[in-house]
Amino acid sequence: MKLVLLGAPGAGKGTQAEILSKKMGIPTISTGNILRAAMKNGTPVGLQAKEYVEKGALVPDAVIIGIIRERLAEPDCANGYILDGVPRTIPQAEALEEGGVGLDCALSIEVDDSVIVERMGGRRTCPDCGASFHVVNNPPKTEGVCDLCGAALTVRKDDAPETVKARLETYHKETEPLKAFYAARGKLKTVDNQPGIEATTAEIVKALNL
């Protein structure tokens, strides 16, 4: 299956993508992780992206599409993939279509803005491996330490409340119209956010007939 997860920043797309990836045996292509690796390594693309991310703005299409197409050409994507974090705009969705990046389904996780602001304040991210945790919903085994690689967890600048509100505004203006874009192609499915990760996964599994 070739799937894209839609939803506001903090809707749980990354967490659900990881679960679905294991369940279906296909890789998750997280733009955020690819970009964060580039920013950490100080590559030209990474430095360019960093300026936008820290303002809560969107990274330019040319940067995103180039990274994605390179990644999807790798052998592990032959049987399908899950896109997380792209497309974020209708021009990006059109560019993916024109670039031959096919999708079977766009799944939107619906969450209220107030829930997002509260949730993202508790998010903790590993600067080394990109793993994501939450102090309430998905705490690490040891407080402040990554379960996967043992690095100290951090609060990303783009999880601060004022940045989250700016990102939500950007989402409603730029990204939410994708729901209509994919609905018009008969590819949209929506699920309401549930209390707890497992309950949300169960709704997604039902929606996708897995």
Side-chain angles (χ1 to χ4, degrees):
M1 182 183 282
K2 296 170 181 175
L3 176 68
V4 62
L5 294 182
L6 302 175
K13 300 183 296 296
T15 301
Q16 295 300 335
E18 276 176 43
I19 294 167
L20 292 171
S21 169
K22 285 177 190 147
K23 197 171 183 61
M24 296 194 279
I26 56 177
T28 297
I29 311 304
S30 166
T31 326
N33 286 349
I34 298 170
L35 285 173
R36 274 193 288 280
M39 288 192 285
K40 190 180 171 211
N41 297 332
T43 67
V45 171
L47 293 172
Q48 209 180 344
K50 192 172 184 178
E51 287 179 34
Y52 292 91
V53 169
E54 287 186 348
K55 290 177 197 158
L58 295 176
V59 177
D61 292 355
V63 178
I64 298 287
I65 303 300
I67 290 173
I68 293 295
R69 286 185 64 187
E70 265 180 14
R71 179 66 186 86
L72 296 184
E74 292 178 24
D76 63 339
C77 293
N79 296 323
Y81 42 80
I82 301 166
L83 294 182
D84 168 24
V86 70
R88 287 192 179 180
T89 62
I90 285 174
Q92 276 183 7
E94 289 169 344
L96 286 173
E97 279 186 354
E98 285 158 20
V101 177
L103 285 173
D104 300 317
C105 174
L107 182 93
S108 179
I109 303 171
E110 306 288 317
V111 190
D112 287 341
D113 284 6
S114 58
V115 175
I116 297 280
V117 175
E118 192 180 320
R119 180 185 290 179
M120 288 178 78
R123 195 153 77 166
R124 301 291 180 269
T125 306
C126 177
D128 288 0
C129 74
S132 193
F133 300 89
H134 191 280
V135 293
V136 177
N137 300 332
N138 182 29
K141 292 187 181 81
T142 305
E143 191 179 336
V145 178
C146 178
D147 289 355
L148 304 184
C149 72
L153 298 174
T154 58
V155 178
R156 281 168 33 204
K157 272 188 190 172
D158 49 347
D159 287 340
E162 60 280 7
T163 314
V164 172
K165 285 171 185 165
R167 291 174 72 200
L168 284 168
E169 274 177 40
T170 304
Y171 166 76
H172 291 304
K173 186 176 156 200
E174 304 277 353
T175 306
E176 206 162 26
L178 283 170
K179 292 199 287 191
F181 178 90
Y182 286 115
R185 285 154 175 74
K187 292 182 178 180
L188 180 73
K189 292 181 191 287
T190 60
V191 294
D192 288 327
N193 178 61
Q194 304 295 314
I197 292 168
E198 291 81 5
T200 303
T201 304
E203 288 298 306
I204 291 171
V205 165
K206 209 187 297 176
L208 295 176
N209 298 317
L210 295 178

